[in-house]
Amino acid sequence: MTNPHLKEEVAKRRTFAIISHPDAGKTTITEQLLLFGGAIRQAGTVKGKKTGNFAKSDWMEIEKQRGISVTSSVMQFDYDGKRVNILDTPGHEDFSEDTYRTLMAVDAAVMVVDTAKGIEAQTKKLFKVVKDRGIPVFTFMNKLDRDGREPLDLLAELEEVLGIESYPMNWPIGMGKGLEGLYDVYHKRVELRHPEQYDNERFIALDETGNIPTAHKLYSNDVYSQAQEDIELLLEAGNEFSTERIAAGELTPVFFGSALTNFGVQTFLETFLQFAPEPQGTKTIDGEMVSPYTEEFSGFVFKIQANMNPAHRDRIAFVRIASGTFERGMAVNLSRTNKAVKLSNVTQFMADSRENVETAVAGDIIGVYDTGTYQVGDTLRQGKLKVEYEELPTFTPELFMKVSAKNVMKQKSFHKGIQQLVQEGAIQLYTTVQTNDYVIGAVGQLQFEVFQYRMLNEYNAEVVMSPMGNKTARWIDPEDFDERMSSSRNILARDRFGNPLFLFENEFAMRWFSDKYPNVELKSLL
Ligand code: G4P
């Protein structure tokens, strides 16, 4: 059935992820956004109260509450005539390849930075993926209610550390206890932090010289003149505002604010929704783009979340709808197997409940109950639409474990389990060339634990894992392959496609190798 409102509905979608280093304020700002959207009624409902720095052994306990984190994987609300989908990119112990893959399913990213800390490690990693996709990035400089670093410094850091140019949409007037407001360059107004101290007006319009009226009490405040000076400098010597460059991910609009005290968040949301792109086309393996407005439904699986409750071995396959309309119960074709699958048990996600979804359109995310049918990267398509979407990239793992079956009698189930989990995208697998050992690689510790747990519970294979410490993985051209290049400082292995790679002990070992074999190119994945 066709959807007469498809075009209108798709154009309303805004699908994005928030990337940040743990503790920068991602949860707090997400909650504020959901409050504005009316999706929740009080703060503190997105995640159960944080368990603090939970130890690894507490992980199963957390998994028992998995219902909460599955629900918060995608949050949807309506605002200003737009349907907003926020995709969660878990941090802390939850960091995994899925975190990266989620960024393949969004049209924009919001980067939350703690103004006291600047760009931190995890933000940098996630940003790299976003940059590679060339999607727009919006920056929210958070925690302005506390003393942080100089705003000019923070902008310089965006450029130096991330290599992205910036445009300040607003600028702090003071900071910490002395925060008076935001000089809103884009809306040509000043937004006051304490309107009650100034005639109860929240906004003061700027005149044509870019000033608030000289009679205003704030005018003679030092922090106001400082903000004025900074802004003058930036507008003269800084980057120019350009919607094209924002859309191309070359220029990030920067907003300042404080998520905790809800200052600047609404302005951010409203401006963000103005510039955030509607769903874009999706590339097929043949390099063609499929428009989201194509009538037939299609989508791709970007993440599979296993249910850790032993009573429910099902998983949820997260599907980004790339085109058309989803309708509950519809039959689609799974490209990899070329078999028909019926999408009956499908959920969408509101912040405080899972709901069975009847229809959804391009740009939306649906969660399909899975009993082992789907793999990360799978394409689902309807009718005559014979597309196959581009493979999702594989990310360079940083953590490695040697893995073997505890019980030699269980070799068969061990191999079956490992092959299936690798195919599903749960973990990466390598075989060492010299000793034929299995090595698994991950970007986050949690992936190993999920692997071990699922091997036991789904394949009845107890595994022994021995950590190999940090390694740097680099691929080489198959033509360069030569066993003699292997030394005590590296391990030569092959990935599951047979491509050769080295696991180097450290950067030093890698440089030593490059000096010795200058003609061998070392390549990393994303
Ligand atoms: P995350 O999801 O990025 O990990 O960060 P989260 O929102 O959980 O915030 C981390 C900590 O920073 C929390 O404090 C939170 O209250 C605080 N925070 C977030 N935004 C702001 C802000 O604008 N200003 C200030 N001053 N603090 C902010 P916590 O003490 O770790 O947790 P909680 O016990 O207060 O929840």
Side-chain angles (χ1 to χ4, degrees):
M1 209 170 75
T2 56
N3 175 356
H5 305 297
L6 180 63
K7 195 158 177 65
E8 209 178 299
E9 283 297 316
V10 173
K12 280 206 263 182
R13 263 54 185 184
R14 295 293 181 273
T15 303
F16 67 96
I18 304 186
I19 60 174
S20 71
H21 192 80
D23 280 341
K26 182 168 59 103
T27 309
T28 313
I29 195 165
T30 305
E31 287 188 338
Q32 296 291 2
L33 299 179
L34 293 172
L35 281 167
F36 286 125
I40 54 169
R41 266 159 308 238
Q42 68 188 65
T45 41
V46 173
K47 280 184 196 165
K49 195 65 210 141
K50 269 200 292 196
T51 352
N53 284 332
F54 46 79
K56 264 184 281 163
S57 55
D58 291 342
W59 177 72
M60 290 303 154
E61 195 51 44
I62 290 153
E63 285 305 319
K64 277 194 202 151
Q65 306 159 10
R66 202 67 179 178
I68 305 171
S69 61
V70 167
T71 309
S72 61
S73 286
V74 186
M75 289 155 281
Q76 192 176 62
F77 64 89
D78 292 330
Y79 191 87
D80 249 2
K82 307 268 173 18
R83 164 96 16 129
V84 181
N85 294 306
I86 309 181
L87 275 59
D88 190 26
T89 55
H92 298 260
E93 299 278 313
D94 267 349
F95 194 76
S96 71
E97 282 173 82
D98 279 344
T99 311
Y100 283 137
R101 290 187 196 122
T102 294
L103 298 174
M104 299 293 139
V106 296
D107 300 300
V110 170
M111 178 162 71
V112 176
V113 176
D114 181 337
T115 43
K117 301 204 171 128
I119 308 295
E120 297 172 87
Q122 196 158 309
T123 313
K124 221 167 120 182
K125 281 191 195 173
L126 292 163
F127 179 83
K128 202 166 153 234
V129 180
V130 169
K131 183 149 195 214
D132 196 74
R133 284 202 58 210
I135 58 174
V137 192
F138 298 76
T139 305
F140 188 83
M141 296 287 186
N142 191 28
K143 307 201 182 180
L144 211 52
D145 57 298
R146 283 204 195 145
D147 286 327
R149 291 177 29 196
E150 280 293 320
L152 284 172
D153 241 28
L154 291 164
L155 291 201
E157 196 177 64
L158 286 176
E159 218 149 300
E160 279 155 25
V161 178
L162 300 181
I164 188 165
E165 290 180 10
S166 59
Y167 184 88
M169 302 295 272
N170 57 32
W171 200 251
I173 303 176
M175 216 183 233
K177 286 202 172 63
L179 177 67
E180 289 292 337
L182 288 171
Y183 183 104
D184 192 333
V185 183
Y186 182 73
H187 294 98
K188 298 190 172 39
R189 66 189 186 195
V190 161
E191 182 171 351
L192 291 173
R193 166 117 152 107
H194 302 291
E196 68 283 358
Q197 295 171 11
Y198 300 95
D199 315 323
N200 278 324
E201 293 288 340
R202 199 171 130 213
F203 298 110
I204 323 166
L206 298 175
D207 63 21
E208 58 283 2
T209 67
N211 263 305
I212 55 172
T214 47
H216 199 281
K217 262 204 301 192
L218 181 62
Y219 188 87
S220 45
N221 194 322
D222 284 350
V223 288
Y224 175 73
S225 359
Q226 179 63 51
Q228 255 280 328
E229 240 173 67
D230 286 355
I231 276 296
E232 233 169 76
L233 180 85
L234 277 166
L235 295 184
E236 243 170 61
N239 301 305
E240 263 179 55
F241 185 76
S242 151
T243 45
E244 292 79 34
R245 299 193 64 219
I246 293 173
E250 294 165 5
L251 183 77
T252 178
V254 178
F255 301 79
F256 286 82
S258 157
L260 188 66
T261 63
N262 193 14
F263 182 63
V265 180
Q266 193 168 9
T267 300
F268 161 72
L269 173 63
E270 288 171 3
T271 324
F272 167 73
L273 289 180
Q274 240 178 296
F275 291 103
E278 57 182 66
Q280 304 290 297
T282 309
K283 219 189 215 165
T284 68
I285 45 170
D286 305 322
E288 278 160 35
M289 293 298 261
V290 175
S291 155
Y293 300 112
T294 309
E295 287 285 341
E296 285 101 350
F297 164 89
S298 70
F300 61 91
V301 177
F302 63 91
K303 156 172 167 169
I304 289 179
Q305 187 142 9
N307 193 334
M308 291 298 133
N309 183 342
H312 302 276
R313 269 177 45 173
D314 56 347
R315 303 154 211 177
I316 292 183
F318 288 78
V319 177
R320 151 89 191 210
I321 305 180
S323 70
T325 309
F326 158 83
E327 272 165 23
R328 191 139 82 95
M330 79 195 298
V332 295
N333 174 274
L334 173 61
S335 69
R336 181 173 40 81
T337 58
N338 202 19
K339 289 212 172 102
V341 285
K342 199 165 176 206
L343 302 179
S344 350
N345 206 348
V346 171
T347 54
Q348 223 172 8
F349 312 89
M350 296 305 275
D352 46 8
S353 67
R354 285 200 216 181
E355 291 186 353
N356 245 327
V357 50
E358 298 299 327
T359 63
V361 300
D364 286 335
I365 311 296
I366 51 175
V368 181
Y369 278 91
D370 175 29
T371 46
T373 311
Y374 302 104
Q375 291 178 12
V376 162
D378 276 349
T379 298
L380 298 173
R381 61 212 181 168
Q382 183 190 24
K384 294 192 196 68
L385 192 65
K386 283 284 175 261
V387 293
E388 196 173 333
Y389 289 115
E390 245 188 344
E391 264 183 46
L392 297 186
T394 315
F395 302 94
T396 307
E398 291 173 11
L399 306 168
F400 299 87
M401 294 262 190
K402 263 202 187 127
V403 58
S404 56
K406 185 161 186 186
N407 182 346
V408 280
M409 305 301 283
K410 293 261 174 69
Q411 287 292 346
K412 216 170 146 195
S413 36
F414 171 78
H415 286 287
K416 182 173 169 216
I418 216 166
Q419 293 304 338
Q420 287 195 0
L421 292 182
V422 164
Q423 268 183 15
E424 191 193 285
I427 203 106
Q428 296 190 33
L429 176 69
Y430 311 99
T431 313
T432 61
V433 169
Q434 262 134 6
T435 49
N436 254 329
D437 286 326
Y438 271 177
V439 170
I440 51 174
V443 304
Q445 183 64 27
L446 182 79
Q447 280 179 261
F448 292 132
E449 282 156 59
V450 171
F451 168 78
Q452 193 169 31
Y453 186 85
R454 291 185 61 190
M455 284 293 281
L456 183 62
N457 282 271
E458 293 174 30
Y459 302 96
N460 196 21
E462 211 172 330
V463 295
V464 185
M465 303 199 294
S466 42
M468 300 168 71
N470 275 9
K471 295 265 180 276
T472 309
R474 290 292 180 270
W475 276 252
I476 57 167
D477 258 353
E479 292 101 76
D480 290 334
F481 180 84
D482 184 345
E483 268 190 55
R484 285 167 301 182
M485 292 193 296
S486 168
S487 80
S488 61
R489 290 201 191 94
N490 66 45
I491 299 167
L492 185 55
R494 288 190 187 272
D495 67 15
R496 71 182 173 108
F497 305 107
N499 296 320
L501 71 150
F502 280 105
L503 301 176
F504 290 105
E505 206 119 88
N506 47 35
E507 294 276 326
F508 172 78
M510 199 164 90
R511 277 203 300 274
W512 179 85
F513 180 93
S514 287
D515 286 346
K516 192 155 179 208
Y517 304 102
N519 296 326
V520 177
E521 193 192 347
L522 298 175
K523 287 175 282 198
S524 65
L525 306 173
L526 253 188

